[in-house]
Amino acid sequence: MKGPSPSIVIFGASGDLTWRKLVPALYNLYVKERLPQEFRIVGHARTEYTHEQFREHLHEGVEKFAEIDSGSWEQFAKNIYYVQGRYDEPGALQKLNDFVKEKEPANASRLYYLAVPPTVFAPIVNSLGKAHMARDNDRWCRVVFEKPFGHDLESARELNAIAHNVLDESQIYRIDHYLGKETVQNILVFRFANAIFEPVWNRNYIDHIQITAAESVDVGHRAHFYDEVGVLRDMFQNHLMQLLTLVSMEPPASFNADALRNEKVKVLASLRPMSPTTLADHSVRGQYEGYLKTDGVDPQSTTATFAALNLFIDNWRWQGVPFYLRSGKNLAEKTTDIVIHFKCPPHLLFDLDSDKEMSANYISLCIQPDEGIHLRFETKVPDTDSRMQSVDMEFHYSEEFGPMALPDAYERLLLDVLQGDAALFTRADEIELSWKLIDAIIEGWQTEYAPPLETYAPGSWGPQRAYNFLDNVGAHWIMGCEEHD
Ligand code: BG6
């Protein structure tokens, strides 16, 4: 990659994210020759490290999470430095700035990565402003915010206001790592680079849409954090809303960041707000058995570790089409998929076996773990009059492009920030609209209209009400991405 010589400054550099994700992703980009020829990575955190100790620490992470080659690592590691300090100590950022300046050429651009707890986003941004590190006419400065961006609409607005005091919106990159996943980006390619799907991608042909982001792990060592947020803030406000907007948005005129995000924002603005009277029927909340005994969890906690929502988008394309979303911890499997469930044929010419119902076609967009796409349709069973059987046409990334073809989401996202492409990052208005929807549900769950908080068995598919959640449309949850014989 040609271009300016960036200094990548990571706040919170001694933490897990830097070790597990950021530096392995930067190393992979380096090996693939996608980083500019000259660059430097400067870690900043409270932990005491020399440059060499910091490199050693990162080396372990890269060994674990990337395919390391010792020659390339040595070359790469020469660009890594560490500055110990606290972001809130007087003069600390000045010291950091002086160090970075000494290492970089005069016109070097700056990428600041906030790999820190969300409570310190605002103080760091303010300190960057005070130290005159955030704007410069001669070079670009970009700031990456990890999630969560706020914990409700009000705090997200406050954080946006603080960030906008110091930075232009064009300098702000709010991460949702789901957008860095190849299969999530492929939703747009599938819809808009093929002419055959878009004409049927609407209320005339689609019966309903299901979005599942299930996790088999429990809350683990993040119990304290999780108990404060719950599944709606942790998964729905960000990842599930992203999947929903990508699958339902209108085609943008270009893949330009604003064109794309304008269309996503229109979807979020058209989501029907959940009213107290619809809440009980249109949402399910659950907590897995044993959650209350986890270290770090309040023994009286009513935090939901599972939720299902039935949403509607009030626009011409989607009027009346239910969107069913579910996510939870400690479920039967780790799987993320989207099922586009088409309507049944209006009239059937062929006799059905007495125990069979008419089957609808569906397309499953398999986000993970077996990334790909499946199309289910009916076929005639050979050597019968007209018996039918559902079969799948399947595309698996691993078969087509090899088992290691899919890079980690952070590679793509870091590269995009370096190149100034914000298409896969969340804009201020987008984040506020999705908080507005989620806030209303969280508030409704505190009222008499709330659905019951049901416990569910670890390793199941959630509370009993979730199993029957699609009864309204005469359907059930589909595991469209599983292998079929
Ligand atoms: C994170 C959530 O944003 O996404 C975690 O905070 C969750 O609770 C994770 O486990 C899921 O990400 P992925 O990529 O494993 O589906």
Side-chain angles (χ1 to χ4, degrees):
M1 175 183 165
K2 293 211 175 89
S5 154
S7 300
I8 302 169
V9 178
I10 305 178
F11 290 97
S14 56
D16 197 48
L17 182 72
T18 309
W19 188 72
R20 208 164 34 90
K21 291 286 182 188
L22 303 183
V23 172
L26 287 166
Y27 172 76
N28 282 339
L29 289 172
Y30 174 78
V31 172
K32 293 177 189 171
E33 298 184 4
R34 293 187 184 161
L35 288 185
Q37 266 165 359
E38 269 187 47
F39 68 94
R40 58 219 63 77
I41 300 170
V42 183
H44 184 266
R46 280 182 298 185
T47 313
E48 297 273 357
Y49 281 128
T50 60
H51 300 308
E52 205 38 58
Q53 285 168 335
F54 184 54
R55 290 177 194 137
E56 271 305 304
H57 163 73
L58 298 178
H59 181 248
E60 284 167 27
V62 174
E63 264 187 329
K64 191 154 181 198
F65 298 107
E67 291 272 305
I68 198 164
D69 157 86
S70 58
S72 322
W73 168 259
E74 270 165 33
Q75 290 308 315
F76 174 76
K78 285 184 187 155
N79 302 292
I80 300 179
Y81 306 95
Y82 186 76
V83 177
Q84 191 272 338
R86 296 176 60 106
Y87 62 87
D88 53 355
E89 258 167 18
L93 286 210
Q94 205 48 60
K95 177 180 147 201
L96 172 67
N97 200 23
D98 291 346
F99 178 85
V100 183
K101 273 192 172 158
E102 200 187 293
K103 297 285 170 206
E104 68 186 9
N107 65 344
S109 24
R110 291 271 179 97
L111 186 167
Y112 299 111
Y113 202 111
L114 307 188
V116 289
T119 45
V120 297
F121 287 169
I124 293 184
V125 170
N126 280 330
S127 302
L128 284 172
K130 280 193 202 133
H132 306 288
M133 291 165 73
R135 287 189 206 228
D136 195 322
N137 289 338
D138 299 328
R139 57 178 171 186
W140 59 253
C141 293
R142 299 179 186 136
V143 182
V144 182
F145 290 77
E146 258 300 324
K147 79 170 258 283
F149 195 91
H151 59 268
D152 57 12
L153 176 59
E154 201 189 324
S155 56
R157 275 191 181 142
E158 266 171 34
L159 188 52
N160 274 331
I162 292 169
H164 289 152
N165 259 338
V166 176
L167 306 158
D168 283 335
E169 177 64 24
S170 63
Q171 295 178 273
I172 302 175
Y173 289 72
R174 298 175 193 78
I175 285 244
D176 182 318
H177 77 278
Y178 267 50
L179 290 175
K181 291 181 192 277
E182 290 285 343
T183 41
V184 173
Q185 294 156 34
N186 194 42
I187 298 172
L188 295 179
V189 174
F190 182 72
R191 288 189 57 197
F192 303 136
N194 297 298
I196 57 175
F197 303 116
E198 204 42 31
V200 297
W201 210 266
N202 56 51
R203 66 191 299 272
N204 298 330
Y205 297 93
I206 293 178
D207 184 74
H208 69 273
I209 291 183
Q210 307 180 9
I211 303 180
T212 296
E215 295 189 86
S216 49
V217 291
D218 59 19
V219 296
H221 67 278
R222 293 165 76 230
H224 181 68
F225 160 80
Y226 193 91
D227 202 35
E228 310 243 302
V229 295
V231 67
L232 285 182
R233 291 190 174 100
D234 190 47
M235 293 294 289
F236 281 74
Q237 181 274 329
N238 37 64
H239 310 323
L240 275 95
M241 283 301 132
Q242 290 298 339
L243 298 179
L244 173 76
T245 51
L246 293 176
V247 87
S248 61
M249 66 192 248
E250 295 301 316
S254 73
F255 197 61
N256 155 289
D258 269 331
L260 187 81
R261 296 187 296 180
N262 287 344
E263 295 306 335
K264 285 161 68 187
V265 162
K266 284 186 206 159
V267 171
L268 292 169
S270 316
L271 279 169
R272 191 181 301 168
M274 204 72 88
S275 71
T277 46
T278 51
L279 200 67
D281 287 340
H282 289 190
S283 69
V284 173
R285 54 186 188 133
Q287 191 183 74
Y288 63 80
E289 264 167 45
Y291 175 73
L292 296 177
K293 298 206 178 98
T294 314
D295 265 356
V297 168
D298 171 0
Q300 311 290 324
S301 172
T302 55
T303 297
T305 59
F306 175 97
L309 301 179
N310 175 191
L311 299 176
F312 288 91
I313 299 173
D314 284 331
N315 64 15
W316 272 57
R317 186 189 282 260
W318 296 114
Q319 192 53 239
V321 178
F323 285 73
Y324 295 99
L325 282 58
R326 67 174 167 167
S327 180
K329 297 269 186 212
N330 220 340
L331 298 177
E333 272 177 42
K334 162 108 181 150
T335 178
T336 305
D337 59 54
I338 303 174
V339 174
I340 319 296
H341 195 292
F342 289 90
K343 292 186 172 173
C344 284
H347 169 66
L348 197 61
L349 312 180
F350 315 106
D351 290 336
L352 278 176
D353 291 347
S354 56
D355 59 337
K356 281 202 124 188
E357 288 179 1
M358 205 189 282
S359 299
N361 304 133
Y362 55 82
I363 293 173
S364 307
L365 305 173
C366 309
I367 308 298
Q368 57 189 16
D370 181 9
E371 294 87 354
I373 293 175
H374 300 200
L375 167 64
R376 168 151 287 212
F377 58 97
E378 295 304 290
T379 197
K380 179 176 174 296
V381 177
D383 207 18
T384 65
D385 263 3
S386 59
R387 264 189 55 217
M388 288 175 296
Q389 185 177 311
S390 302
V391 292
D392 268 15
M393 272 167 66
E394 297 182 15
F395 153 64
H396 299 267
Y397 269 88
S398 56
E399 280 172 14
E400 190 66 28
F401 299 107
M404 304 302 286
L406 293 171
D408 186 79
Y410 278 88
E411 276 186 44
R412 171 65 194 259
L413 295 175
L414 282 163
L415 194 58
D416 281 1
V417 185
L418 289 170
Q419 293 175 335
D421 183 353
L424 299 178
F425 295 82
T426 318
R427 208 167 58 186
D429 48 352
E430 198 179 343
I431 218 141
E432 290 183 12
L433 280 167
S434 70
W435 272 123
K436 195 170 162 199
L437 178 96
I438 296 301
D439 272 7
I441 301 170
I442 293 176
E443 273 161 33
W445 278 4
Q446 315 296 323
T447 68
E448 62 193 288
Y449 301 105
L453 177 70
E454 290 172 62
T455 40
Y456 60 93
S460 69
W461 282 106
Q464 195 50 47
R465 279 189 69 239
Y467 283 78
N468 309 329
F469 198 47
L470 281 68
D471 284 358
N472 276 352
V473 289
H476 50 85
W477 295 106
I478 291 168
M479 300 294 293
C481 294
E482 289 197 325
E483 291 282 351
H484 297 285
D485 300 327

